[in-house]
Amino acid sequence: MRDRIANASFWKQALAFQEEDIVFFEESYRKQDPAKAGGRGNSGEALRDSLFEMSLLLYSAGAPMEEVVAPGFRAVAQHFPEIVSRFGTKMPNGIARVGYDNYLRDMSFLVLARAESTEAEAFFRTLDQFDLQMDGYGGYDRIWAAYRQHFGLPEVPVTSDVHWPEAYQNLWLAIDPAEPEFARPHHLKKFVDGWYDEMASELAAQTTRGENLGENSTYVGYWCLEAAAASVAFGIDDRELRDHPHYPAEWADWARS
C-alpha cells in the first residue's frame, strides 16, 4: 500500500465498490439518448469521475502503475471528449463544466499518464469547446497555458495570471520560467503544504477525513497530482517532497521513466 491512513481491508472493499459504480454508470451512460429532452450527460459525468477516482484508489492500494493510470487515462483522454461530442456543452441538455481545479487535475493526470501530444490535444480541444470566458474562468491562465506548451500544442492568449491564486500561486511560481532554478523546489513545497487545506476549505477536493473512514467512505487518498506533474513536466527537483503524505512520489518516478 502507498496510502498511510487506510488499511488493506479498506482498499479491498473500496475497490470493489468503485468497480460496481463504474459498471452501473457505464450502463446508464450508454442508454442515454442525447436527442431527448433531459438527456443530460449526468451518468457520463459520474462515469468520468468514477474512472478518475479508481486511479487514485489503485495508487493508494499499491497496484502496479500501468493498472493505476488506465482508468483515469480513459476518463480524461477518451471519455471526456466522447461525452462532450455526444451531449455538447450547453445546459440543460449538455454536460456541466467543472471547476478550474478539476481541469488542472486532468492536465496533471495527462502528464503522469505519459500522454502523447495527440492524446493531450484531444483533451484541450474538448476543453476549448466550453466558453471559457463566460464560464467564470476568464479564458486561459498562465498555468493552463504552460501545460499546453508542455505538450507542444499551439499557444493561446493568456488572459490572467492565476485563476485561483490562493491555491495555485505557488504552483505557478514553481513553473514560472522567470523564477531561478534554486527557488522552484521551495515554491513547489509551499504549494503542496497548503494544497489539501485549500481544496477542503473550498469543497474542491474529496474531503472525507482519514480518521473517519467507514464502510461507506469515499476516501481515495489525498494525492497532489498537480505537484507531481509539475515536477515531471518542468524538471523540478522533488527531493524535499519525497516523504510528504500528499505527494505521490512513486507515480512521479514512473512518469519520468
Side-chain angles (χ1 to χ4, degrees):
M1 294 185 300
R2 300 179 180 97
D3 179 79
R4 304 179 187 182
I5 297 176
N7 58 33
S9 61
F10 173 85
W11 292 120
K12 181 178 180 180
Q13 183 183 64
L15 288 166
F17 286 165
Q18 194 73 8
E19 185 61 39
E20 291 176 4
D21 284 348
I22 290 172
V23 171
F24 174 80
F25 290 129
E26 178 87 56
E27 293 176 352
S28 299
Y29 169 66
R30 296 302 171 192
K31 292 176 181 177
Q32 286 183 314
D33 183 356
K36 293 182 179 180
R40 290 178 53 190
N42 282 344
S43 291
E45 293 172 75
L47 173 60
R48 180 171 179 260
D49 291 344
S50 295
L51 288 166
F52 195 102
E53 289 174 359
M54 177 61 95
S55 280
L56 302 180
L57 282 166
L58 287 166
Y59 182 76
S60 296
M65 286 307 306
E66 288 77 7
E67 294 181 20
V68 168
V69 301
F73 182 80
R74 179 189 166 202
V76 177
Q78 299 167 356
H79 184 63
F80 177 52
E82 177 188 306
I83 190 175
V84 170
S85 176
R86 286 188 68 196
F87 292 93
T89 63
K90 305 299 182 185
M91 299 295 287
N93 293 327
I95 74 166
R97 61 92 169 153
V98 297
Y100 171 83
D101 57 295
N102 294 92
Y103 286 136
L104 180 55
R105 204 155 173 78
D106 289 347
M107 296 173 199
S108 300
F109 194 97
L110 290 170
V111 172
L112 296 177
R114 305 176 181 168
E116 300 289 343
S117 178
T118 53
E119 294 163 335
E121 183 180 18
F123 167 81
F124 281 100
R125 186 170 59 246
T126 304
L127 174 64
D128 290 345
Q129 293 181 46
F130 292 84
D131 189 337
L132 299 179
Q133 292 290 340
M134 297 297 293
D135 283 341
Y137 302 124
Y140 275 77
D141 73 344
R142 294 183 183 277
I143 299 176
W144 280 8
Y147 277 99
R148 281 186 65 100
Q149 186 175 11
H150 166 72
F151 285 110
L153 302 179
E155 292 186 13
V156 292
V158 175
T159 55
S160 67
D161 287 336
V162 178
H163 286 325
W164 187 354
E166 295 83 1
Y168 295 107
Q169 183 63 29
N170 283 308
L171 178 62
W172 165 244
L173 291 174
I175 67 177
D176 182 355
E179 284 291 301
E181 287 298 321
F182 71 84
R184 298 185 191 283
H186 171 71
H187 293 310
L188 195 61
K189 186 174 187 304
K190 285 187 67 176
F191 167 64
V192 178
D193 285 343
W195 170 78
Y196 180 77
D197 286 342
E198 189 66 34
M199 295 297 102
S201 67
E202 296 294 329
L203 300 180
Q206 188 277 339
T207 56
T208 301
R209 300 305 307 183
E211 60 270 21
N212 294 326
L213 296 178
E215 182 177 347
N216 297 316
S217 173
T218 57
Y219 175 67
V220 295
Y222 306 136
W223 302 115
C224 185
L225 304 185
E226 298 85 347
S231 176
V232 172
F234 303 101
I236 303 172
D237 187 340
D238 67 352
R239 282 177 293 182
E240 290 187 62
L241 298 173
R242 305 297 298 183
D243 294 325
H244 197 289
H246 298 321
Y247 188 73
E250 188 176 338
W251 200 334
D253 292 342
W254 180 86
R256 285 192 195 92
S257 68

